[in-house]
């Protein structure tokens, strides 16, 4: 893969340039859920749900080189389904802080839109870092109304997403012809097929994206102020080929006769309205994700 492209992350009054991995993901269903080891049932009841999530992730995601088994996915999904805003420290006061404006000369960012006077009054997207290791990461995205996280991928990863509050539009694609992980195809558009294009409103089901299916490339648009819990397995790692890339879409007909279509059109239904071309691009400078402060229970490794 080529070198990481830069996205601006606002940690304070000064904007610090960070890689997309840092900007997006911080510093560094089943019917039954396995009980966590504990000395007594009383201790189990007192264990924060986010700690239970960490524990089940740790036992389920044991290597960044191995995709999680179906049974592991179901165990993790079961815990995530039980998590609420309060479990993660998202109290009414905290929600007000994430939705608060910053003034005309304050931090700004309008979900990939070019800056306008309105955008300057719009709070940036916040990322609340909970935990990260090579095997998995946990964090929360808080988006103000109309904020957008552009189409981006999760190469080689299984992604669990739960909308915690509010309404969010999700648009997601999969590559029409998946290729070997690590192949450098960033220099030309690739055919993708629409998987999801709908508005989710909390409470709703946990979304699970797999490395090559169920919408691994997706974009978020906040219909109202909202927050989403994300668990990735494994974590982003550019040195291991798990690099975050951003994409823009073009109608299939726009370049269907161009030089990029010949090898990719094999097996494609040219009348399928869900087909689009995705081309890698660098988000504009005013795409800002601020490092927020996670106020929930701290997980104990």
């Amino acid at each position: 893969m080529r070198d990481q492209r830069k996205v601006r992350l606002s940690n304070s009054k000064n904007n610090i340039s960070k890689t997309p991995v840092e900007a997006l993901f911080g510093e560094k269903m089943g019917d039954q859920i396995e009980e966590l080891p504990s000395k007594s049932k009383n201790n189990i009841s007192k264990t924060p749900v986010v700690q239970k999530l960490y524990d089940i992730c740790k036992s389920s995601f044991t290597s960044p080189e191995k995709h999680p088994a179906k049974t592991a996915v179901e165990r993790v999904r079961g815990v995530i389904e039980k998590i609420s805003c309060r479990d993660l420290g998202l109290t009414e006061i905290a929600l007000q802080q994430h939705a608060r404006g910053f003034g005309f000369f304050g931090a700004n960012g309008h979900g990939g839109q070019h800056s306008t006077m309105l955008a300057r009054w719009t709070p940036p997207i916040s990322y609340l870092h909970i935990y990260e290791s090579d095997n998995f990461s946990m964090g929360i995205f808080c988006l103000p109304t109309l904020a957008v996280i552009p189409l981006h991928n999760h190469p080689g990863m299984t992604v669990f997403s739960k909308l915690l509050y509010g309404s969010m539009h999700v648009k997601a694609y999969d590559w029409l012809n998946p290729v070997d992980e690590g192949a450098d195809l960033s220099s030309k558009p690739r055919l993708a097929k629409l998987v999801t294009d709908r508005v989710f409103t909390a409470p709703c089901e946990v979304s699970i994206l797999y490395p090559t299916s169920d919408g691994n490339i997706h974009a978020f648009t906040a219909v109202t102020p909202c927050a989403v819990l994300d668990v990735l397995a494994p974590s982003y790692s550019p040195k291991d080929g798990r690099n975050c890339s951003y994409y823009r879409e073009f109608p299939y007909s726009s370049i269907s006769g161009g030089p990029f279509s010949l090898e990719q059109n094999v097996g494609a239904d040219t009348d399928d309205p869900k087909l689009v071309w995705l081309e890698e691009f660098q988000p504009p400078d005013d795409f800002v994700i601020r490092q927020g402060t996670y106020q929930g229970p701290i997980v104990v490794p």
Side-chain angles (χ1 to χ4, degrees):
M1 295 291 288
R2 60 185 174 183
D3 293 339
Q4 281 287 81
R5 288 171 170 176
K6 299 289 183 177
V7 170
R8 196 167 302 190
L9 173 67
S10 176
N11 282 321
S12 61
K13 294 182 179 179
N14 297 321
N15 283 334
I16 302 174
S17 184
K18 298 263 186 173
T19 66
V21 174
E22 292 169 328
L24 276 176
F25 295 98
E27 300 295 334
K28 191 127 161 102
M29 211 155 340
D31 296 326
Q32 296 180 351
I33 300 172
E34 294 183 354
E35 286 191 352
L36 304 175
S38 182
K39 294 182 178 180
S40 69
K41 292 184 178 180
N42 289 334
N43 287 338
I44 292 177
S45 65
K46 295 179 180 178
T47 301
V49 181
V50 69
Q51 180 68 46
K52 294 181 180 181
L53 177 59
Y54 164 82
D55 290 340
I56 202 71
C57 286
K58 183 179 179 180
S59 64
S60 300
F61 308 136
T62 57
S63 170
E65 284 77 36
K66 295 180 180 180
H67 297 313
K70 183 177 180 179
T71 53
V73 170
E74 296 301 313
R75 289 196 298 267
V76 174
R77 185 211 299 257
V79 177
I80 293 176
E81 284 184 333
K82 297 182 177 181
I83 290 182
S84 68
C85 288
R86 187 165 295 278
D87 292 327
L88 299 170
L90 293 176
T91 62
E92 183 175 353
I93 294 177
L95 299 183
Q96 290 174 355
Q97 291 175 343
H98 292 304
R100 185 178 300 155
F102 290 90
F104 187 78
F105 294 104
N108 70 84
H110 197 49
Q113 303 293 327
H114 290 291
S115 294
T116 63
M117 185 175 293
L118 175 61
R120 289 176 179 269
W121 287 91
T122 303
I125 300 167
S126 296
Y127 179 77
L128 314 183
H129 174 67
I130 300 175
Y131 175 82
E132 182 174 7
S133 68
D134 291 341
N135 295 345
F136 67 96
S137 66
M138 302 160 51
I140 306 166
F141 287 99
C142 298
L143 290 77
T145 302
L146 300 181
V148 176
I149 298 179
L151 279 172
H152 59 283
N153 66 344
H154 304 85
M157 304 180 206
T158 300
V159 182
F160 301 78
S161 297
K162 178 177 182 178
L163 186 63
L164 298 167
Y165 68 86
S167 295
M168 170 186 286
H169 179 264
V170 178
K171 197 168 191 180
Y173 296 91
D174 286 326
W175 296 122
L176 184 64
N177 296 314
V179 297
D180 292 337
E181 293 176 16
D184 186 1
L185 297 176
S186 58
S187 62
K188 59 182 181 181
R190 293 179 60 190
L191 273 176
K193 187 169 184 176
L194 182 66
V195 174
T196 301
D197 187 6
R198 56 173 287 200
V199 172
F200 292 83
T201 299
C204 57
E205 68 275 14
V206 176
S207 172
I208 303 179
L209 318 180
Y210 295 94
T212 60
S213 63
D214 293 290
N216 188 275
I217 307 165
H218 65 195
F220 293 154
T221 302
V223 178
T224 68
C226 57
V228 59
L229 169 66
D230 259 12
V231 176
L232 311 181
S235 302
Y236 276 108
S237 176
K239 65 182 178 64
D240 295 315
R242 297 190 301 275
N243 205 21
C244 181
S245 299
Y246 296 89
Y247 299 91
R248 53 189 170 191
E249 61 184 279
F250 299 94
Y252 173 76
S253 59
S254 65
I255 51 177
S256 61
F260 307 123
S261 64
L262 299 179
E263 61 186 80
Q264 298 192 53
N265 277 348
V266 177
D269 180 358
T270 56
D271 295 323
D272 190 341
K274 294 184 178 181
L275 287 183
V276 299
W277 294 96
L278 297 185
E279 179 183 51
E280 190 173 336
F281 86 121
Q282 181 177 356
D285 289 342
D286 59 354
F287 170 50
V288 175
I289 295 182
R290 180 186 62 176
Q291 185 68 47
T293 301
Y294 170 64
Q295 298 179 353
I298 302 301
V299 298
V300 180

